[in-house]
Amino acid sequence: MADPAVLLPRLADAGLFRAGLPQALGGTGGDVTDAVEAIAAVSERSLAAGFVAWGHRTFIEYLLQSQNEVLRDRLLPALLAGEVAGATGMSNAMKALSGLEEISITARPDGAGHVLDGHLPWVTNLRAQGFHIAAAVAPEGGEPFCVALPSDAPGLERSADLDLMAMRATSTAAIRIKDVRVGPKHLLHGSAKFWLPRVRPAFLGLQCGMSIGLARRALAEAGACSGGARHVLHEPVAALASALSVQEHALREGLRDGRFVADAPALFRIRIALAEIVAEATGLELQASGGRAYLTAPGEGFARRWREAAFIPVITPSLVQLRAALAGQAARAA
């Protein structure tokens, strides 16, 4: 298991978080699809590292799309260097956007700012050395808005790491918020209703990089196995690789032309399709590996990928939640 204290700086040293950022802000240029590819490349080697990279790079994307340039310029250098972690606590907000649950953090007025209370049960990349977390909050009788909270904010408490299978190095924990004061300096955007649909494509698109990387690795491992009757797997491996390429192309095109802002269901379907490809790819790797997959040393890599593949469907928004959102959209359209 990688040490979570050193994982983020190593990813930063490799330039991972600069992909898709304007050069003027310290990035290497390109667009968000370059960041998707960077996360996919990391996820080929470790989905836990890819999960951390997703959370961190998504928080950076929030800053890029925020109205608050002062906040962006203050936080971005340390984030790009991996000196402090960025955590996307927006899973609750994204589910609320699809009508699946209510925003779990409330806000009450306090002078020029607000006082927050609430709970986030599952947030990744809450690095013990320090983090910033993005969240949506709902004021009573007012419009929800989005903020970035530092880990040292009075009233913000982090739980112990959740004991996850195959994901223990991801600094994943719960957050409790009690009487946390925020003001204009914490604001990501004043209207969650307007802003969340515009950052959701990056939130989900970057997440898809995890599935892409894991599927690529499983297919490569399956294709590398030879001998005996394994030649019968060449055709299904090639067909699944082709299906993966189709979904990657659809993801890139949709992110680049902005269609997912208005057509979120198209992105939901890509996320579901990629998760199904991961499941099939690891199944093909198991078939190609045969009994060797159940030997401790030779099967170690496969066993890790098998557990990682089981995590893909439950990452928020889970496949069940995405299918529920699609069913609700279809019912409203009928």
Side-chain angles (χ1 to χ4, degrees):
M1 180 177 68
D3 183 352
V6 302
L7 175 58
L8 191 70
R10 286 182 179 176
L11 294 175
D13 288 345
L16 178 76
F17 305 123
R18 299 180 187 273
L21 267 69
Q23 293 181 356
L25 296 177
T28 55
D31 58 34
V32 70
T33 65
D34 296 290
V36 172
E37 181 58 35
I39 291 170
V42 171
S43 300
E44 285 189 55
R45 302 189 65 174
S46 165
L47 195 72
F51 195 34
V52 166
W54 165 71
H56 193 75
R57 182 57 180 81
T58 301
F59 183 89
I60 290 173
E61 190 67 23
Y62 296 153
L63 293 178
L64 295 182
Q65 298 193 40
S66 172
Q67 295 174 316
N68 195 339
E69 294 183 3
V70 173
L71 178 67
R72 181 198 68 194
D73 293 344
R74 177 165 58 87
L75 299 187
L76 197 54
L79 290 164
L80 292 179
E83 296 169 356
V84 65
T88 170
M90 293 288 199
S91 294
N92 162 246
M94 295 298 175
K95 287 185 281 187
L97 187 62
S98 296
L100 298 174
E101 65 183 40
E102 298 295 324
I103 291 176
S104 61
I105 302 175
T106 61
R108 60 185 189 274
D110 178 53
H114 289 81
V115 177
L116 311 183
D117 294 285
H119 180 251
L120 297 172
W122 179 304
V123 185
T124 296
N125 204 30
L126 299 176
R127 192 166 174 258
Q129 291 74 20
F131 58 84
H132 295 275
I133 180 172
V137 304
E140 185 176 352
E143 182 174 4
F145 56 93
C146 299
V147 295
L149 305 174
S151 55
D152 60 358
L156 189 150
E157 296 180 6
R158 178 199 191 279
S159 75
D161 283 1
L162 303 180
D163 192 12
L164 305 177
M165 293 188 298
M167 294 285 156
R168 294 192 184 99
T170 60
S171 298
T172 299
I175 288 290
R176 182 174 180 269
I177 295 170
K178 179 65 175 176
D179 293 332
V180 173
R181 285 171 167 77
V182 297
K185 69 178 182 179
H186 301 100
L187 190 66
L188 284 167
H189 202 282
S191 172
K193 183 178 180 180
F194 173 85
W195 192 62
L196 287 176
R198 285 158 178 78
V199 297
R200 178 168 52 189
F203 175 95
L204 275 174
L206 292 166
Q207 192 180 86
C208 285
M210 298 166 59
S211 296
I212 291 168
L214 182 54
R216 286 177 183 171
R217 179 62 182 271
L219 288 170
E221 294 290 337
C225 294
S226 59
R230 292 180 176 86
H231 66 277
V232 300
L233 297 177
H234 292 172
E235 184 175 339
V237 167
L240 195 59
S242 178
L244 175 61
S245 179
V246 168
Q247 295 301 326
E248 288 184 54
H249 177 77
L251 179 64
R252 285 193 301 269
E253 291 301 303
L255 289 173
R256 284 173 175 159
D257 67 20
R259 75 184 69 166
F260 296 142
V261 173
D263 188 8
L267 182 54
F268 294 172
R269 286 189 284 269
I270 291 172
R271 162 85 166 87
I272 292 169
L274 287 171
E276 291 173 343
I277 288 171
V278 167
E280 192 170 348
T282 50
L284 287 171
E285 182 184 355
L286 173 59
Q287 294 180 61
S289 299
R292 185 180 60 177
Y294 279 83
L295 295 173
T296 300
E300 182 179 7
F302 166 76
R304 177 172 55 80
R305 284 186 290 279
W306 188 259
R307 292 192 299 271
E308 290 175 343
F311 185 60
I312 291 291
V314 301
I315 301 170
T316 301
S318 70
L319 297 198
V320 168
Q321 291 161 349
L322 290 171
R323 289 188 170 109
L326 287 173
Q329 190 270 342
R332 289 190 295 272

